[in-house]
Structures are given as C-alpha cells and as structure tokens.
Amino acid sequence: MKPILFLSLISASAFAAERPNIIFIFSDDHAEQAISAYGSKVNKTPHIDRLATGGARFTNSFVTNSICTPSRATLLTGQYSHLNGVPVFNRFDGSRDNVAKHLRAGGYHTGMIGKWHLGSDPTGFDRWIVLPGQGKYWNPDFLVPGKKLKIKGHCTDITGDLGVEWLETRPADKPFFLMLHQKAPHRKWQPDERNMALFKDKTFPEPETLFDDYSTRPAALPENKQTIARDLDKWDLKETPPEGLEGRELIKWKYQRYMQDYLACVQGVDDNVGKVLDYLEKSGLAENTIVIYSADNGWYLGEFGLYDKRFMYEPGLRVPLLAKGPGIKAGITPAEFVANIDLAPTFLDLAGLPVPESMQGRSLAPLLHGESPDDWRKTVYYRYYHTPGHHNTAAHYGVRTQTHKLIYYWDKDAYEMFDLTKDPMEQHNMLVSEEEAKSPEVAKLFTELKAEIVRLQKEFKDDGQYADPSTWPKGSADGPFGDKEPSGEMTVSEAIAESEDPGDGA
Ligand SMILES: [Ca+2]
C-alpha cells in the first residue's frame, strides 16, 4: 500500500492531533533591545518573556534585508530579495510559491491577520484579513477578499482580538497555521490610550552612541536621514520642544519623546501576545500549539543617533526570535546564526512537510529541540537595496561573522570593517585610516571577509540583479487598495466572518 492511501484512511482529527498548530506573531520594527528577555534597559515585556522562559530565545537572529516589505516576502518564500522579486517597496507576485500554499496543501487550515504590506492579495490562506498598505493605528480599515471593512478601536488590540476570534471559529478537525502580524510599533507611533498614559512621563537611559559623530564611517552615515537630531518630524514628536532647547539638550528631549511613544506601542504588542497566550492556555490549545515571535527588521533606539532600520549595523541587523510549544526545550538560548530565510522552512518542518528546494534557509527545528548541528552556518549575508529611499540610506551588502563584520556601499565603492569582539558598538572602522588598513593583520582579514562575501553570493545565487534601481520590479506594496469603499463599522466577529477566501485553493 502506498503511503498516500494509508494517510487517507486516518481520520482528519487523528492526524491533527499528531501535528502541532503554529501561530507566528510578527511585529513591525520591534527592536530586540526593547524586550526584557533580551536584556532591555528601557522596558519590560512580560508576555513575550513567557516565550523565552517556556521555550527558546535565539541570541543571534538576523534579517537579510532590514526593511518591511522585503522582509515579508522573505518570510513567505524563504528566499533572499534577489530571488523573491521584492528588493524594495514593490508588489509581491501572489502567483509565486509561498509557505502558506504548502501548509494549506499539506492539510493545515491557514490564516493571515494584520499587516501584510506586499501590495497583492494574500494567496495560500483559507482566511485572510489584512491592513491596506501600512494601515492605520486608530479605527483601521481591513481588507478581506473583495471588500474593505472598518473596525473601530486601536489596531494593536483589534489585531489581537481578530487572532482570538479566528482561533475560536476555525475548523476543529484540522491543524492550523496562523500568521498574526501587528502594525505596531511602526512609525509614527500612536499608542493605545492605556499604554500612552503609562509611558507619557517616563524617562529612559540614553544609549552610549546617541551623539555619534560618524567620524570613522564617512561613507554613508553622515548623509543619512534617519537621525533623532535632524529627522524626527512634528508628527513623530507630536509636541513642540520646550523653548530655548538646542544642541544636545534638544536631541535628548527628542529621544525621550520618541521612546515614550515607541515603547508604549511595544507594550500594546506585548499585551496582545499575552492575550493570545492566555487564550491558548484557557482553551487547552497550548499543549499542541507552537507560538513563534519575531519582528520584520531590526531597529535603532537612539544607537548611532538613529531611529529606523536599513543599516547593517547590529541594531538594524538583529531581530528578536522566540518560540515555545510542544517539542521545544524550555529556557534554551540557541546561539547559532539564524536568519529570516529560515522561518518558512521551519514552519514546514514543524508541520512534518517537506521543504522545497527553492527555499534558501534551513529549518530551525533541530535548534528548537536543543540540538547543535556541526554544519550550521557560521556567517550571515545581508543586502539592502533601497537607495536613496525614504531616509537617504546608501545601498550596501556585507557579511557578519562570529567576530567581525564587513560592509560594502557599492555606489560609493566604500568598505567598513569592524571587530565586534573589541568594538561591539561599531564605532571604529578598521579601514578608515590608511595606516591601519595596510597593516598585515587588517589587510589579511579584509581579504578573507571579501572572499567570504563572494562565497555567500555564489551560495545564495546573488548575481547583483536589482543593484541598479532602474531594474527594480514595478508596482507598489501600498496598493492598489484605494478603490474599495469601506463598509459601515464592523465588530471583530463580523469582520472575521467576511474573511473566508472563496479562491481557487491555491
Ligand atoms: Ca518594518
């Protein structure tokens, strides 16, 4: 008897019991440094910390292109931007293969809720309800197949509520896969009222590099437009600075205003992680449900004098990654280099499904089980394209090893190299002084890191396409959604009832 026939004889519910449910909670721009399990000095995240205590907290988790839309395309495809066709804020082609299609075909009930920002309708999901483009914090519209719905309230709480409602109304005879994607804490930070009240008068310690003068990194940092000093606008700050403040005092004031709103938005995300975890425990689903938390890109909390993401320095490159559930060892902190290309293969592997050749990442399941494979990657390759973009951030690629980092700004033909063991804040570019660059030790390291980039570009099939902005695919990640009139105001339950995909089962 062939295995496929054998499977068809097992009742669906018996099969469901064998395979774990998976909930992937994603947030937008949530810095690892703003999670207490990661040692935050500025806030506490008790609910995200529950995942660390009861499961795995990855200590070297990176993104391959630190920006929203490309990261989401990588999440779905397990591929770098140059292969999945989304190097910048362009539209994802929904006819491409994605992880949800595999899970759905493999017997999972699949759902996508919240921020999508890929410009095309979601495919591969039994039910989806997503924000148009960036979405709004207050009284947001949501898209379901063919319609736009308006829901009253704060987006973070609504997204959490939609998640619980989706779980309540799912078919009980199938394992499920739910992507629950928060808009928060994306700029221009508008917290819910309860957390705004909690954070409005707080003050936070400043990072060591808030007043970075960029003197050893002249290639791209001085011209960037994501600085706290110059680039936060009146919509970010929402208040006029006190009269007479200037220079460093004004930067300090802006930093505090920024952090108050940003961290209040993070707290809303944490509250809603708690809402989902509590529901899973109360309903008994926790026993067979894996919950994974991550963010779409790194983020600067004043380090290098910056907010935003993009640059390959540590705060931009690192993302939180935590997971708890059946089969995952409690309290482990895997230190292997993992990246967002690994998420799609991980979902499939956890579901007992094969990982297609097209995916470039590797399943994290062995690491979640407490194993440490000898042949795990020791370096990570990064490539950012969006130049000048919204923040005049020069395009670059690079490699991070366990001890060093090499960054290359190709339009400027400029390299930066850092020793992360001696200089974790990346303040000293070892190539800026000719004398140091020519020293045998530094020159040898530079040669080795350049060779490693070449090796990684070959391994990941990056031949430099999209390096020239004229080759970027057309179509915006923000549309086309404006042509649908929103419904009258809906409740979360009414909205979920509209979310079923009548599509082709793709
Ligand atoms: Ca983002």
mmCIF file of all heavy atoms in Angstrom, residues 58-105:
data_model
loop_
_atom_site.group_PDB
_atom_site.id
_atom_site.type_symbol
_atom_site.label_atom_id
_atom_site.label_comp_id
_atom_site.label_asym_id
_atom_site.label_seq_id
_atom_site.Cartn_x
_atom_site.Cartn_y
_atom_site.Cartn_z
ATOM 1 N N PHE A 58 16.424 32.896 20.630
ATOM 2 C CA PHE A 58 17.614 32.890 19.754
ATOM 3 C C PHE A 58 18.434 34.148 20.023
ATOM 4 O O PHE A 58 17.892 35.254 20.007
ATOM 5 C CB PHE A 58 17.192 32.823 18.287
ATOM 6 C CG PHE A 58 16.664 31.466 17.903
ATOM 7 C CD1 PHE A 58 15.334 31.131 18.115
ATOM 8 C CD2 PHE A 58 17.507 30.510 17.362
ATOM 9 C CE1 PHE A 58 14.850 29.875 17.777
ATOM 10 C CE2 PHE A 58 17.031 29.251 17.022
ATOM 11 C CZ PHE A 58 15.701 28.928 17.238
ATOM 12 N N THR A 59 19.729 33.981 20.237
ATOM 13 C CA THR A 59 20.567 35.124 20.607
ATOM 14 C C THR A 59 21.333 35.709 19.412
ATOM 15 O O THR A 59 21.978 36.732 19.550
ATOM 16 C CB THR A 59 21.574 34.736 21.703
ATOM 17 O OG1 THR A 59 22.399 33.684 21.207
ATOM 18 C CG2 THR A 59 20.857 34.264 22.958
ATOM 19 N N ASN A 60 21.258 35.049 18.263
ATOM 20 C CA ASN A 60 21.878 35.593 17.040
ATOM 21 C C ASN A 60 20.921 35.406 15.866
ATOM 22 O O ASN A 60 21.155 34.597 14.977
ATOM 23 C CB ASN A 60 23.211 34.908 16.755
ATOM 24 C CG ASN A 60 24.295 35.356 17.715
ATOM 25 O OD1 ASN A 60 24.573 36.551 17.834
ATOM 26 N ND2 ASN A 60 24.887 34.407 18.420
ATOM 27 N N SER A 61 19.837 36.182 15.908
ATOM 28 C CA SER A 61 18.820 36.092 14.867
ATOM 29 C C SER A 61 18.888 37.355 14.014
ATOM 30 O O SER A 61 18.831 38.464 14.541
ATOM 31 C CB SER A 61 17.456 35.959 15.542
ATOM 32 O OG SER A 61 16.441 36.171 14.612
ATOM 33 N N PHE A 62 19.015 37.176 12.689
ATOM 34 C CA PHE A 62 19.277 38.313 11.803
ATOM 35 C C PHE A 62 18.247 38.391 10.672
ATOM 36 O O PHE A 62 17.565 37.406 10.371
ATOM 37 C CB PHE A 62 20.668 38.171 11.170
ATOM 38 C CG PHE A 62 21.773 38.013 12.183
ATOM 39 C CD1 PHE A 62 22.471 36.811 12.299
ATOM 40 C CD2 PHE A 62 22.111 39.052 13.036
ATOM 41 C CE1 PHE A 62 23.499 36.664 13.225
ATOM 42 C CE2 PHE A 62 23.130 38.918 13.971
ATOM 43 C CZ PHE A 62 23.831 37.713 14.066
ATOM 44 N N VAL A 63 18.166 39.558 10.050
ATOM 45 C CA VAL A 63 17.405 39.680 8.808
ATOM 46 C C VAL A 63 18.384 39.845 7.651
ATOM 47 O O VAL A 63 19.511 40.297 7.838
ATOM 48 C CB VAL A 63 16.392 40.849 8.809
ATOM 49 C CG1 VAL A 63 15.149 40.497 9.592
ATOM 50 C CG2 VAL A 63 17.013 42.138 9.319
ATOM 51 N N THR A 64 17.904 39.510 6.453
ATOM 52 C CA THR A 64 18.769 39.535 5.283
ATOM 53 C C THR A 64 18.642 40.832 4.486
ATOM 54 O O THR A 64 19.418 41.065 3.559
ATOM 55 C CB THR A 64 18.433 38.337 4.384
ATOM 56 O OG1 THR A 64 17.001 38.314 4.200
ATOM 57 C CG2 THR A 64 18.862 37.036 5.031
ATOM 58 N N ASN A 65 17.625 41.656 4.840
ATOM 59 C CA ASN A 65 17.406 42.965 4.210
ATOM 60 C C ASN A 65 16.483 43.691 5.175
ATOM 61 O O ASN A 65 15.312 43.345 5.265
ATOM 62 C CB ASN A 65 16.752 42.762 2.831
ATOM 63 C CG ASN A 65 16.553 44.058 2.050
ATOM 64 O OD1 ASN A 65 16.874 45.155 2.519
ATOM 65 N ND2 ASN A 65 16.009 43.935 0.847
ATOM 66 N N SER A 66 17.047 44.644 5.931
ATOM 67 C CA SER A 66 16.339 45.166 7.100
ATOM 68 C C SER A 66 15.312 46.224 6.732
ATOM 69 O O SER A 66 15.493 47.411 6.971
ATOM 70 C CB SER A 66 17.366 45.742 8.086
ATOM 71 O OG SER A 66 16.720 46.099 9.285
ATOM 72 N N ILE A 67 14.204 45.746 6.177
ATOM 73 C CA ILE A 67 13.143 46.669 5.781
ATOM 74 C C ILE A 67 11.872 45.869 5.571
ATOM 75 O O ILE A 67 11.912 44.689 5.244
ATOM 76 C CB ILE A 67 13.586 47.483 4.541
ATOM 77 C CG1 ILE A 67 12.666 48.649 4.281
ATOM 78 C CG2 ILE A 67 13.769 46.610 3.340
ATOM 79 C CD1 ILE A 67 13.257 49.673 3.340
ATOM 80 N N CYS A 68 10.747 46.565 5.763
ATOM 81 C CA CYS A 68 9.447 45.918 5.935
ATOM 82 C C CYS A 68 9.021 44.962 4.811
ATOM 83 O O CYS A 68 8.901 43.764 5.009
ATOM 84 C CB CYS A 68 8.408 47.003 6.101
ATOM 85 S SG CYS A 68 6.763 46.408 6.362
ATOM 86 N N THR A 69 8.767 45.512 3.627
ATOM 87 C CA THR A 69 8.172 44.709 2.554
ATOM 88 C C THR A 69 9.104 43.578 2.104
ATOM 89 O O THR A 69 8.669 42.423 2.005
ATOM 90 C CB THR A 69 7.732 45.633 1.397
ATOM 91 O OG1 THR A 69 6.685 46.473 1.893
ATOM 92 C CG2 THR A 69 7.240 44.859 0.198
ATOM 93 N N PRO A 70 10.384 43.854 1.846
ATOM 94 C CA PRO A 70 11.286 42.744 1.501
ATOM 95 C C PRO A 70 11.330 41.646 2.569
ATOM 96 O O PRO A 70 11.358 40.457 2.238
ATOM 97 C CB PRO A 70 12.641 43.436 1.359
ATOM 98 C CG PRO A 70 12.307 44.818 0.929
ATOM 99 C CD PRO A 70 11.058 45.166 1.695
ATOM 100 N N SER A 71 11.315 42.040 3.827
ATOM 101 C CA SER A 71 11.366 41.042 4.891
ATOM 102 C C SER A 71 10.132 40.134 4.858
ATOM 103 O O SER A 71 10.216 38.926 5.107
ATOM 104 C CB SER A 71 11.475 41.746 6.242
ATOM 105 O OG SER A 71 11.243 40.843 7.278
ATOM 106 N N ARG A 72 8.983 40.727 4.546
ATOM 107 C CA ARG A 72 7.744 39.937 4.497
ATOM 108 C C ARG A 72 7.752 38.960 3.315
ATOM 109 O O ARG A 72 7.241 37.841 3.421
ATOM 110 C CB ARG A 72 6.539 40.884 4.423
ATOM 111 C CG ARG A 72 6.277 41.537 5.759
ATOM 112 C CD ARG A 72 5.564 42.872 5.705
ATOM 113 N NE ARG A 72 5.901 43.600 6.918
ATOM 114 C CZ ARG A 72 5.250 43.470 8.083
ATOM 115 N NH1 ARG A 72 4.184 42.711 8.160
ATOM 116 N NH2 ARG A 72 5.660 44.115 9.150
ATOM 117 N N ALA A 73 8.349 39.391 2.212
ATOM 118 C CA ALA A 73 8.464 38.484 1.063
ATOM 119 C C ALA A 73 9.425 37.333 1.399
ATOM 120 O O ALA A 73 9.189 36.181 1.015
ATOM 121 C CB ALA A 73 8.943 39.252 -0.162
ATOM 122 N N THR A 74 10.484 37.633 2.142
ATOM 123 C CA THR A 74 11.422 36.584 2.566
ATOM 124 C C THR A 74 10.757 35.617 3.538
ATOM 125 O O THR A 74 10.939 34.399 3.446
ATOM 126 C CB THR A 74 12.681 37.234 3.198
ATOM 127 O OG1 THR A 74 13.397 37.913 2.162
ATOM 128 C CG2 THR A 74 13.588 36.211 3.848
ATOM 129 N N LEU A 75 9.966 36.147 4.448
ATOM 130 C CA LEU A 75 9.224 35.307 5.396
ATOM 131 C C LEU A 75 8.367 34.275 4.651
ATOM 132 O O LEU A 75 8.335 33.102 5.006
ATOM 133 C CB LEU A 75 8.341 36.220 6.267
ATOM 134 C CG LEU A 75 7.241 35.571 7.086
ATOM 135 C CD1 LEU A 75 7.841 34.698 8.184
ATOM 136 C CD2 LEU A 75 6.339 36.640 7.710
ATOM 137 N N LEU A 76 7.682 34.727 3.601
ATOM 138 C CA LEU A 76 6.766 33.842 2.872
ATOM 139 C C LEU A 76 7.492 32.846 1.978
ATOM 140 O O LEU A 76 7.024 31.726 1.770
ATOM 141 C CB LEU A 76 5.827 34.669 1.990
ATOM 142 C CG LEU A 76 4.725 35.439 2.704
ATOM 143 C CD1 LEU A 76 3.987 36.297 1.705
ATOM 144 C CD2 LEU A 76 3.738 34.493 3.396
ATOM 145 N N THR A 77 8.620 33.276 1.406
ATOM 146 C CA THR A 77 9.264 32.460 0.375
ATOM 147 C C THR A 77 10.494 31.693 0.865
ATOM 148 O O THR A 77 10.947 30.779 0.183
ATOM 149 C CB THR A 77 9.731 33.343 -0.804
ATOM 150 O OG1 THR A 77 10.666 34.321 -0.291
ATOM 151 C CG2 THR A 77 8.572 34.056 -1.462
ATOM 152 N N GLY A 78 11.074 32.122 2.006
ATOM 153 C CA GLY A 78 12.336 31.525 2.439
ATOM 154 C C GLY A 78 13.486 31.883 1.519
ATOM 155 O O GLY A 78 14.504 31.199 1.489
ATOM 156 N N GLN A 79 13.317 32.978 0.770
ATOM 157 C CA GLN A 79 14.332 33.377 -0.215
ATOM 158 C C GLN A 79 14.826 34.796 0.041
ATOM 159 O O GLN A 79 14.080 35.649 0.535
ATOM 160 C CB GLN A 79 13.737 33.362 -1.631
ATOM 161 C CG GLN A 79 13.356 31.991 -2.134
ATOM 162 C CD GLN A 79 12.663 32.072 -3.482
ATOM 163 O OE1 GLN A 79 11.950 33.034 -3.770
ATOM 164 N NE2 GLN A 79 12.859 31.053 -4.305
ATOM 165 N N TYR A 80 16.056 35.046 -0.375
ATOM 166 C CA TYR A 80 16.594 36.404 -0.409
ATOM 167 C C TYR A 80 15.796 37.250 -1.407
ATOM 168 O O TYR A 80 15.175 36.726 -2.348
ATOM 169 C CB TYR A 80 18.067 36.368 -0.840
ATOM 170 C CG TYR A 80 19.037 36.203 0.310
ATOM 171 C CD1 TYR A 80 19.380 34.936 0.777
ATOM 172 C CD2 TYR A 80 19.597 37.313 0.931
ATOM 173 C CE1 TYR A 80 20.274 34.790 1.838
ATOM 174 C CE2 TYR A 80 20.487 37.167 1.981
ATOM 175 C CZ TYR A 80 20.819 35.913 2.437
ATOM 176 O OH TYR A 80 21.699 35.777 3.481
ATOM 177 N N SER A 81 15.909 38.575 -1.225
ATOM 178 C CA SER A 81 15.165 39.526 -2.066
ATOM 179 C C SER A 81 15.454 39.351 -3.557
ATOM 180 O O SER A 81 14.554 39.485 -4.387
ATOM 181 C CB SER A 81 15.536 40.960 -1.683
ATOM 182 O OG SER A 81 15.383 41.169 -0.303
ATOM 183 N N HIS A 82 16.716 39.030 -3.902
ATOM 184 C CA HIS A 82 17.060 38.954 -5.333
ATOM 185 C C HIS A 82 16.382 37.768 -6.006
ATOM 186 O O HIS A 82 16.273 37.734 -7.220
ATOM 187 C CB HIS A 82 18.576 38.905 -5.535
ATOM 188 C CG HIS A 82 19.246 37.760 -4.838
ATOM 189 N ND1 HIS A 82 19.722 37.850 -3.551
ATOM 190 C CD2 HIS A 82 19.497 36.501 -5.233
ATOM 191 C CE1 HIS A 82 20.249 36.683 -3.194
ATOM 192 N NE2 HIS A 82 20.124 35.851 -4.199
ATOM 193 N N LEU A 83 15.913 36.793 -5.240
ATOM 194 C CA LEU A 83 15.187 35.658 -5.842
ATOM 195 C C LEU A 83 13.666 35.800 -5.724
ATOM 196 O O LEU A 83 12.931 35.311 -6.574
ATOM 197 C CB LEU A 83 15.611 34.338 -5.204
ATOM 198 C CG LEU A 83 17.022 33.831 -5.507
ATOM 199 C CD1 LEU A 83 17.146 32.366 -5.110
ATOM 200 C CD2 LEU A 83 17.407 34.000 -6.972
ATOM 201 N N ASN A 84 13.181 36.439 -4.641
ATOM 202 C CA ASN A 84 11.714 36.501 -4.486
ATOM 203 C C ASN A 84 11.096 37.714 -5.169
ATOM 204 O O ASN A 84 9.873 37.896 -5.134
ATOM 205 C CB ASN A 84 11.299 36.416 -3.012
ATOM 206 C CG ASN A 84 11.745 37.615 -2.190
ATOM 207 O OD1 ASN A 84 11.821 38.721 -2.691
ATOM 208 N ND2 ASN A 84 12.032 37.395 -0.915
ATOM 209 N N GLY A 85 11.924 38.566 -5.781
ATOM 210 C CA GLY A 85 11.395 39.671 -6.584
ATOM 211 C C GLY A 85 10.946 40.882 -5.778
ATOM 212 O O GLY A 85 10.265 41.755 -6.321
ATOM 213 N N VAL A 86 11.304 40.949 -4.499
ATOM 214 C CA VAL A 86 10.904 42.109 -3.687
ATOM 215 C C VAL A 86 12.127 42.717 -2.992
ATOM 216 O O VAL A 86 12.350 42.512 -1.797
ATOM 217 C CB VAL A 86 9.812 41.728 -2.647
ATOM 218 C CG1 VAL A 86 9.315 42.975 -1.908
ATOM 219 C CG2 VAL A 86 8.635 41.038 -3.328
ATOM 220 N N PRO A 87 12.934 43.493 -3.751
ATOM 221 C CA PRO A 87 14.101 44.121 -3.130
ATOM 222 C C PRO A 87 13.768 45.387 -2.348
ATOM 223 O O PRO A 87 14.502 45.767 -1.446
ATOM 224 C CB PRO A 87 14.987 44.471 -4.335
ATOM 225 C CG PRO A 87 14.020 44.650 -5.465
ATOM 226 C CD PRO A 87 12.892 43.695 -5.212
ATOM 227 N N VAL A 88 12.663 46.066 -2.735
ATOM 228 C CA VAL A 88 12.304 47.353 -2.120
ATOM 229 C C VAL A 88 10.807 47.338 -1.783
ATOM 230 O O VAL A 88 10.272 46.286 -1.473
ATOM 231 C CB VAL A 88 12.705 48.530 -3.055
ATOM 232 C CG1 VAL A 88 14.217 48.644 -3.146
ATOM 233 C CG2 VAL A 88 12.108 48.388 -4.438
ATOM 234 N N PHE A 89 10.137 48.492 -1.857
ATOM 235 C CA PHE A 89 8.700 48.530 -1.539
ATOM 236 C C PHE A 89 7.870 48.230 -2.774
ATOM 237 O O PHE A 89 6.960 48.980 -3.117
ATOM 238 C CB PHE A 89 8.313 49.888 -0.936
ATOM 239 C CG PHE A 89 8.746 50.038 0.486
ATOM 240 C CD1 PHE A 89 9.852 50.797 0.819
ATOM 241 C CD2 PHE A 89 8.056 49.392 1.500
ATOM 242 C CE1 PHE A 89 10.267 50.925 2.138
ATOM 243 C CE2 PHE A 89 8.456 49.512 2.822
ATOM 244 C CZ PHE A 89 9.564 50.276 3.150
ATOM 245 N N ASN A 90 8.212 47.137 -3.456
ATOM 246 C CA ASN A 90 7.435 46.799 -4.642
ATOM 247 C C ASN A 90 6.482 45.637 -4.337
ATOM 248 O O ASN A 90 6.611 44.958 -3.322
ATOM 249 C CB ASN A 90 8.368 46.462 -5.821
ATOM 250 C CG ASN A 90 9.245 45.266 -5.545
ATOM 251 O OD1 ASN A 90 10.258 45.395 -4.865
ATOM 252 N ND2 ASN A 90 8.863 44.100 -6.040
ATOM 253 N N ARG A 91 5.545 45.439 -5.247
ATOM 254 C CA ARG A 91 4.490 44.443 -5.040
ATOM 255 C C ARG A 91 5.016 43.020 -5.159
ATOM 256 O O ARG A 91 5.788 42.699 -6.065
ATOM 257 C CB ARG A 91 3.394 44.683 -6.081
ATOM 258 C CG ARG A 91 2.142 43.847 -5.889
ATOM 259 C CD ARG A 91 1.072 44.250 -6.885
ATOM 260 N NE ARG A 91 0.827 45.677 -6.791
ATOM 261 C CZ ARG A 91 0.457 46.438 -7.804
ATOM 262 N NH1 ARG A 91 0.293 45.927 -9.009
ATOM 263 N NH2 ARG A 91 0.264 47.724 -7.633
ATOM 264 N N PHE A 92 4.575 42.158 -4.234
ATOM 265 C CA PHE A 92 4.899 40.731 -4.303
ATOM 266 C C PHE A 92 3.940 40.058 -5.279
ATOM 267 O O PHE A 92 2.726 40.291 -5.236
ATOM 268 C CB PHE A 92 4.754 40.107 -2.912
ATOM 269 C CG PHE A 92 4.990 38.622 -2.875
ATOM 270 C CD1 PHE A 92 6.255 38.092 -3.110
ATOM 271 C CD2 PHE A 92 3.947 37.740 -2.601
ATOM 272 C CE1 PHE A 92 6.480 36.723 -3.071
ATOM 273 C CE2 PHE A 92 4.164 36.369 -2.554
ATOM 274 C CZ PHE A 92 5.434 35.862 -2.788
ATOM 275 N N ASP A 93 4.469 39.224 -6.137
ATOM 276 C CA ASP A 93 3.645 38.491 -7.100
ATOM 277 C C ASP A 93 3.009 37.290 -6.382
ATOM 278 O O ASP A 93 3.679 36.314 -6.064
ATOM 279 C CB ASP A 93 4.546 38.036 -8.256
ATOM 280 C CG ASP A 93 3.811 37.157 -9.253
ATOM 281 O OD1 ASP A 93 2.606 36.873 -9.034
ATOM 282 O OD2 ASP A 93 4.444 36.746 -10.243
ATOM 283 N N GLY A 94 1.686 37.395 -6.146
ATOM 284 C CA GLY A 94 0.979 36.372 -5.377
ATOM 285 C C GLY A 94 0.903 35.017 -6.048
ATOM 286 O O GLY A 94 0.533 34.026 -5.401
ATOM 287 N N SER A 95 1.267 34.966 -7.343
ATOM 288 C CA SER A 95 1.234 33.655 -8.009
ATOM 289 C C SER A 95 2.509 32.853 -7.697
ATOM 290 O O SER A 95 2.607 31.674 -8.021
ATOM 291 C CB SER A 95 1.082 33.829 -9.530
ATOM 292 O OG SER A 95 2.274 34.351 -10.087
ATOM 293 N N ARG A 96 3.484 33.500 -7.071
ATOM 294 C CA ARG A 96 4.712 32.764 -6.688
ATOM 295 C C ARG A 96 4.409 31.766 -5.584
ATOM 296 O O ARG A 96 3.440 31.906 -4.835
ATOM 297 C CB ARG A 96 5.764 33.751 -6.167
ATOM 298 C CG ARG A 96 6.491 34.516 -7.241
ATOM 299 C CD ARG A 96 7.419 35.535 -6.579
ATOM 300 N NE ARG A 96 8.130 36.317 -7.565
ATOM 301 C CZ ARG A 96 9.398 36.092 -7.916
ATOM 302 N NH1 ARG A 96 10.098 35.134 -7.356
ATOM 303 N NH2 ARG A 96 9.983 36.846 -8.842
ATOM 304 N N ASP A 97 5.302 30.827 -5.456
ATOM 305 C CA ASP A 97 5.200 29.847 -4.387
ATOM 306 C C ASP A 97 5.345 30.564 -3.040
ATOM 307 O O ASP A 97 6.076 31.539 -2.927
ATOM 308 C CB ASP A 97 6.359 28.851 -4.553
ATOM 309 C CG ASP A 97 6.119 27.574 -3.770
ATOM 310 O OD1 ASP A 97 4.953 27.290 -3.402
ATOM 311 O OD2 ASP A 97 7.099 26.854 -3.511
ATOM 312 N N ASN A 98 4.615 30.094 -2.020
ATOM 313 C CA ASN A 98 4.855 30.616 -0.678
ATOM 314 C C ASN A 98 4.553 29.534 0.356
ATOM 315 O O ASN A 98 3.927 28.517 0.046
ATOM 316 C CB ASN A 98 4.086 31.923 -0.418
ATOM 317 C CG ASN A 98 2.612 31.720 -0.116
ATOM 318 O OD1 ASN A 98 2.223 30.789 0.577
ATOM 319 N ND2 ASN A 98 1.774 32.620 -0.618
ATOM 320 N N VAL A 99 4.997 29.760 1.567
ATOM 321 C CA VAL A 99 4.922 28.732 2.608
ATOM 322 C C VAL A 99 3.479 28.383 2.980
ATOM 323 O O VAL A 99 3.166 27.220 3.280
ATOM 324 C CB VAL A 99 5.741 29.163 3.852
ATOM 325 C CG1 VAL A 99 5.112 30.347 4.574
ATOM 326 C CG2 VAL A 99 5.934 27.999 4.815
ATOM 327 N N ALA A 100 2.580 29.380 2.909
ATOM 328 C CA ALA A 100 1.183 29.115 3.265
ATOM 329 C C ALA A 100 0.546 28.131 2.280
ATOM 330 O O ALA A 100 -0.268 27.280 2.664
ATOM 331 C CB ALA A 100 0.396 30.425 3.304
ATOM 332 N N LYS A 101 0.938 28.238 0.992
ATOM 333 C CA LYS A 101 0.389 27.313 -0.013
ATOM 334 C C LYS A 101 0.770 25.868 0.321
ATOM 335 O O LYS A 101 -0.039 24.951 0.183
ATOM 336 C CB LYS A 101 0.905 27.683 -1.410
ATOM 337 C CG LYS A 101 0.357 29.017 -1.911
ATOM 338 C CD LYS A 101 0.898 29.346 -3.300
ATOM 339 C CE LYS A 101 0.384 30.717 -3.747
ATOM 340 N NZ LYS A 101 0.874 31.080 -5.080
ATOM 341 N N HIS A 102 2.005 25.686 0.776
ATOM 342 C CA HIS A 102 2.458 24.338 1.129
ATOM 343 C C HIS A 102 1.722 23.816 2.361
ATOM 344 O O HIS A 102 1.346 22.645 2.422
ATOM 345 C CB HIS A 102 3.971 24.336 1.387
ATOM 346 C CG HIS A 102 4.771 24.472 0.135
ATOM 347 N ND1 HIS A 102 5.218 23.382 -0.583
ATOM 348 C CD2 HIS A 102 5.172 25.563 -0.557
ATOM 349 C CE1 HIS A 102 5.883 23.812 -1.647
ATOM 350 N NE2 HIS A 102 5.866 25.126 -1.650
ATOM 351 N N LEU A 103 1.537 24.679 3.346
ATOM 352 C CA LEU A 103 0.862 24.247 4.573
ATOM 353 C C LEU A 103 -0.606 23.931 4.286
ATOM 354 O O LEU A 103 -1.151 22.951 4.790
ATOM 355 C CB LEU A 103 0.985 25.337 5.645
ATOM 356 C CG LEU A 103 2.393 25.423 6.254
ATOM 357 C CD1 LEU A 103 2.644 26.798 6.847
ATOM 358 C CD2 LEU A 103 2.587 24.352 7.328
ATOM 359 N N ARG A 104 -1.224 24.751 3.448
ATOM 360 C CA ARG A 104 -2.631 24.532 3.110
ATOM 361 C C ARG A 104 -2.793 23.210 2.347
ATOM 362 O O ARG A 104 -3.653 22.395 2.668
ATOM 363 C CB ARG A 104 -3.145 25.698 2.277
ATOM 364 C CG ARG A 104 -4.632 25.742 2.113
ATOM 365 C CD ARG A 104 -4.980 26.893 1.176
ATOM 366 N NE ARG A 104 -6.388 27.247 1.238
ATOM 367 C CZ ARG A 104 -6.949 28.144 0.443
ATOM 368 N NH1 ARG A 104 -6.217 28.792 -0.458
ATOM 369 N NH2 ARG A 104 -8.226 28.413 0.534
ATOM 370 N N ALA A 105 -1.920 23.013 1.360
ATOM 371 C CA ALA A 105 -1.974 21.761 0.592
ATOM 372 C C ALA A 105 -1.643 20.568 1.478
ATOM 373 O O ALA A 105 -2.104 19.451 1.237
ATOM 374 C CB ALA A 105 -0.991 21.829 -0.580
#
